[in-house]
Amino acid sequence: LNNVDRVPDLPESEKSQWKGECLFLLGLYHWYMLEYYGPIVLAKDLTSLNADEKDIYLPRTPFDECVNYIAECYDKAAELLPARQPDAKWYGRATAAAAYAMKARLMLFAASPLFNGNSRFYADFKNVDGTQLVNQKYDKEKWKKAMDAAEEAIAYCNRNGYKIYKNGVTAIANLNLEIDKGEFVFVTGQTACGKSTLIKMLYREEKPTKGKVMVGGINVAKLHNNRVYKLRRKLGVVFQDFKLLPKLTVYENVAFPLDNLGLDNKTIK
């Protein structure tokens, strides 16, 4: 990123592509660390091999500053990258659409109760100098920012020929399945044959375009959004990727969603 302008005879269009991809990856890798570890050390500049300890052992950056830096990387990347890759051989490389989409995901994460005024778990989460790493005050404007980022991503994709959730792919069709109480069932098949979609419909992560999904006598396809949590209290799902908060204990991981539902400590215990 610092040296691309020194490359001789490199077309400006390719320079922009390289810079945009670097900025996208800066945002993406910081996002991965933020998602797993919370507030992190921001690697904004190259560190000299002869750097002093004070320039190597840097303190964590407060969560909101991390979010702002990653969002800035995505915004700059989107200005330089193409809306879509013009040649199939470049599929999988970053695009402006991907940058906008990742920014929307980032802003939603930042608005969630996990880091938006979570004084229950992060009141004492501070650097050694006393810097508070997670804002202790709930900010409803973060939800507005998340909504705006999602709206921006959708509008951009629509303008550039993307079809949101309208790619013509059918994950599951003509399925008639009944599992009785006490049955032990395996669902097997090739990659992308619809196994995960089937499981997601059981706990209402996905809704069928037509038909019924009955779980315990309830048609979850028609279940109102504000009732979904009651369904999920009765289901146990082991995900392919563990969905635990690494900074919390097992008890705190279990207690966190219950606390958000307003249960008192006695009931949670």
Side-chain angles (χ1 to χ4, degrees):
L1 187 59
N2 292 341
N3 296 316
V4 66
D5 288 321
R6 300 179 188 177
V7 179
D9 303 321
L10 185 67
E12 287 300 320
S13 60
E14 200 161 348
K15 282 185 183 180
S16 293
Q17 172 98 2
W18 288 7
K19 289 178 181 178
E21 288 177 340
C22 285
L23 288 163
F24 179 87
L25 292 173
L26 270 174
L28 184 68
Y29 290 131
H30 277 90
W31 155 249
Y32 283 154
M33 291 190 292
L34 185 74
E35 187 179 25
Y36 279 104
Y37 303 114
I40 55 175
V41 175
L42 295 181
K44 294 184 178 181
D45 300 303
L46 292 175
T47 301
S48 170
L49 295 175
N50 301 314
D52 295 330
E53 283 193 4
K54 64 181 179 60
D55 296 318
I56 297 175
Y57 298 104
L58 300 173
R60 291 189 182 208
T61 305
F63 180 83
D64 287 346
E65 290 183 39
C66 293
V67 170
N68 292 338
Y69 173 70
I70 297 171
E72 183 182 342
C73 287
Y74 287 142
D75 282 336
K76 290 180 178 178
E79 292 176 2
L80 297 169
L81 291 170
R84 58 199 314 140
Q85 294 296 347
D87 194 312
K89 69 180 179 181
W90 302 124
Y91 284 179
R93 294 178 69 168
T95 63
Y100 283 122
M102 291 304 299
K103 179 185 173 183
R105 182 176 178 182
L106 167 73
M107 302 312 287
L108 182 63
F109 185 70
S112 74
L114 179 58
F115 289 109
N116 190 1
N118 186 354
S119 57
R120 176 181 173 86
F121 292 113
Y122 294 123
D124 297 324
F125 194 18
K126 302 176 182 179
N127 278 332
V128 292
D129 63 358
T131 300
Q132 186 74 53
L133 291 173
V134 176
N135 198 324
Q136 299 298 289
K137 186 176 179 181
Y138 172 76
D139 183 2
K140 66 179 182 181
E141 286 302 310
K142 289 184 178 180
W143 289 106
K144 176 66 166 56
K145 290 179 181 178
M147 182 184 71
D148 290 344
E151 205 167 47
E152 181 181 33
I154 292 170
Y156 182 86
C157 288
N158 282 331
R159 288 196 307 270
N160 289 279
Y162 289 88
K163 301 297 181 184
I164 311 299
Y165 293 109
K166 294 179 182 179
N167 58 7
V169 175
T170 301
I172 298 175
N174 302 320
L175 176 66
N176 187 5
L177 173 65
E178 183 174 344
I179 301 174
D180 292 325
K181 184 177 181 180
E183 279 193 275
F184 200 87
V185 178
F186 289 90
V187 180
T188 63
Q190 296 180 343
T191 300
C193 71
K195 303 184 298 295
S196 295
T197 302
L198 172 62
I199 301 300
K200 287 180 178 180
M201 287 196 293
L202 295 179
Y203 65 91
R204 240 303 293 280
E205 176 74 11
E206 298 282 357
K207 289 169 50 174
T209 51
K210 60 181 179 180
K212 297 180 180 179
V213 180
M214 305 296 296
V215 178
I218 301 171
N219 185 1
V220 300
K222 294 187 176 180
L223 194 63
H224 195 279
N225 288 340
N226 64 10
R227 310 287 291 181
V228 171
Y229 75 92
K230 290 191 174 182
L231 166 73
R232 293 176 181 173
R233 285 179 178 178
K234 301 177 182 179
L235 297 175
V237 181
V238 179
F239 295 94
Q240 291 172 305
D241 58 323
F242 62 87
K243 298 186 181 297
L244 298 174
L245 307 176
K247 286 296 179 181
L248 305 186
T249 64
V250 173
Y251 171 79
E252 290 169 339
N253 267 283
V254 175
F256 180 68
L258 301 177
D259 180 62
N260 282 329
L261 291 173
L263 277 64
D264 56 58
N265 288 333
K266 183 178 179 182
T267 304
I268 292 174
K269 289 180 180 179

